[in-house]
Amino acid sequence: MSIIPYDQRDGYIWMNGGLVPWRDAKIHVLTHGLHYGSGVFEGARIYSGEVFALKQHSERLHASAKVLGFEIPYTVAQIEQACRDVIKAQGLAEGYIRPIAWRGSEEMGVAAKATKINLAVACWDWGSYFPMEERLKGIRLRFADYRRPDPMTAPCKAKATGLYMICTIEKHRSMDTGYADALMLDYRGLIAEATGANVFFVKDGKLHTPAPDCFLDGITRRTVIGLAKKRGIETVERQIQPEELAGFEQCFLTGSAAEVTPVSEIGQYRFTVGEITKTLMDDYSANARPKHAAAE
Ligand code: PMP
């Protein structure tokens, strides 16, 4: 499958206050965000022309920037409007949207107080995060070599660009060895999350998921906990040891891109794609779609 390079597509990208032609949305090579990881971003899905949980994503972008010590020069409402404008300009009904804020090129070096804060929003057509046929059977994960860092080591609550360095290394290691993704432990050796999604397990009719004290408490994660509750399914958020995986029946990942993706295998452990996983997969899809579209 050949992918059209992202800088060689057409349409519009919202950048620093308005829409610019897609191919003109460029930055200089001496950009602080590129050299020092001083960027924060969001990833959300577009269903029937609307972004699911747009406000929550826009608020999290602001919160992530604050953790990195900068303020985005646009309000949450302006970010939401930028998202709507770019979706309209692209005429996109189904896809993915990526708001990103970063420190510019006014200063180079670790100190960056004089840098201007930039904001861009791009959207594009993006199908299933994992191949659909693989998703329905459950994807295979390996255990990652890298661990999620101690909160004293990295700003783990921010969706910051720099935190994805170890995720890309692990994703590539997985792909190179025939796996779809990697399951990362945290700095204590407890179960944490995948490289771009949270993880849930099913046992005796209940959900078990790691307490998010050193990684992103995903918007999808919180949505799924709510959907499970509506079905009378309890979620236990706690510390989970890797050895406990032997006793879990089902497993799935959650993320804006991954949605609800069943897992069949993590290292030596095996899981079935059971009823609770399938129900939450369907509930999530139905809930993410705008209500007026679902009723059509
Ligand atoms: N963890 C990581 C590392 C992620 O990249 C994502 C995707 N943003 C998630 C968890 C899930 O977050 P959300 O459900 O908010 O997309």
Side-chain angles (χ1 to χ4, degrees), residues 42-43 57 60 148 159 164 167 193-198 216-221 254-257:
E42 275 304 315
H57 282 285
R60 186 169 69 183
R148 300 307 304 175
K159 191 167 167 64
Y164 285 82
C167 300
E193 59 170 357
T195 63
N198 292 117
L216 217 56
D217 180 5
I219 291 167
T220 319
R221 177 185 182 280
T254 64
S256 300

Side-chain angles (χ1 to χ4, degrees), residues 17-31:
L19 296 168
V20 299
W22 186 286
R23 292 170 198 239
D24 296 344
K26 292 178 181 167
I27 56 169
H28 195 270
V29 70
L30 294 177
T31 292

Side-chain angles (χ1 to χ4, degrees), residues 1-55:
M1 188 182 66
S2 74
I3 302 170
I4 305 169
Y6 280 85
D7 58 351
Q8 289 166 35
R9 300 183 179 201
D10 290 303
Y12 293 91
I13 287 175
W14 189 99
M15 197 169 176
N16 292 329
L19 296 168
V20 299
W22 186 286
R23 292 170 198 239
D24 296 344
K26 292 178 181 167
I27 56 169
H28 195 270
V29 70
L30 294 177
T31 292
H32 198 273
L34 176 65
H35 294 245
Y36 299 96
S38 54
V40 294
F41 67 105
E42 275 304 315
R45 270 195 189 271
I46 303 158
Y47 298 90
S48 302
E50 289 182 27
V51 178
F52 175 63
L54 177 56
K55 189 158 193 272

Side-chain angles (χ1 to χ4, degrees), residues 170-185:
E170 289 300 347
K171 182 85 179 180
H172 288 177
R173 249 202 276 271
S174 304
M175 293 164 80
D176 291 346
T177 50
Y179 290 89
D181 202 352
L183 199 280
M184 302 178 90
L185 303 182

Side-chain angles (χ1 to χ4, degrees), residues 40-192:
V40 294
F41 67 105
E42 275 304 315
R45 270 195 189 271
I46 303 158
Y47 298 90
S48 302
E50 289 182 27
V51 178
F52 175 63
L54 177 56
K55 189 158 193 272
Q56 290 173 65
H57 282 285
S58 307
E59 285 172 349
R60 186 169 69 183
L61 189 69
H62 259 262
S64 294
K66 196 169 260 176
V67 174
L68 264 63
F70 63 83
E71 190 161 347
I72 298 170
Y74 299 94
T75 63
V76 167
Q78 285 172 323
I79 297 170
E80 289 180 70
Q81 193 53 47
C83 291
R84 290 191 200 103
D85 290 350
V86 79
I87 291 168
K88 195 170 169 207
Q90 288 303 91
L92 205 58
E94 303 287 313
Y96 185 78
I97 190 156
R98 165 61 50 84
I100 180 160
W102 69 96
R103 288 190 185 273
S105 48
E106 293 75 12
E107 199 173 2
M108 196 36 78
V110 175
K113 283 184 177 287
T115 53
K116 187 181 141 227
I117 305 306
N118 298 267
L119 176 70
V121 186
C123 65
W124 59 89
D125 186 9
W126 211 27
S128 186
Y129 188 64
F130 296 102
M132 203 53 181
E133 61 279 15
E134 218 181 292
R135 242 180 107 187
L136 298 172
K137 282 191 292 183
I139 59 165
R140 299 172 58 242
L141 310 184
R142 72 187 285 278
F143 278 108
D145 297 352
Y146 278 113
R147 293 181 170 197
R148 300 307 304 175
D150 182 328
M152 299 294 280
T153 303
C156 58
K157 291 291 180 180
K159 191 167 167 64
T161 58
L163 292 174
Y164 285 82
M165 175 179 65
I166 55 174
C167 300
T168 297
I169 294 171
E170 289 300 347
K171 182 85 179 180
H172 288 177
R173 249 202 276 271
S174 304
M175 293 164 80
D176 291 346
T177 50
Y179 290 89
D181 202 352
L183 199 280
M184 302 178 90
L185 303 182
D186 72 12
Y187 64 101
R188 296 161 292 197
L190 300 167
I191 298 293

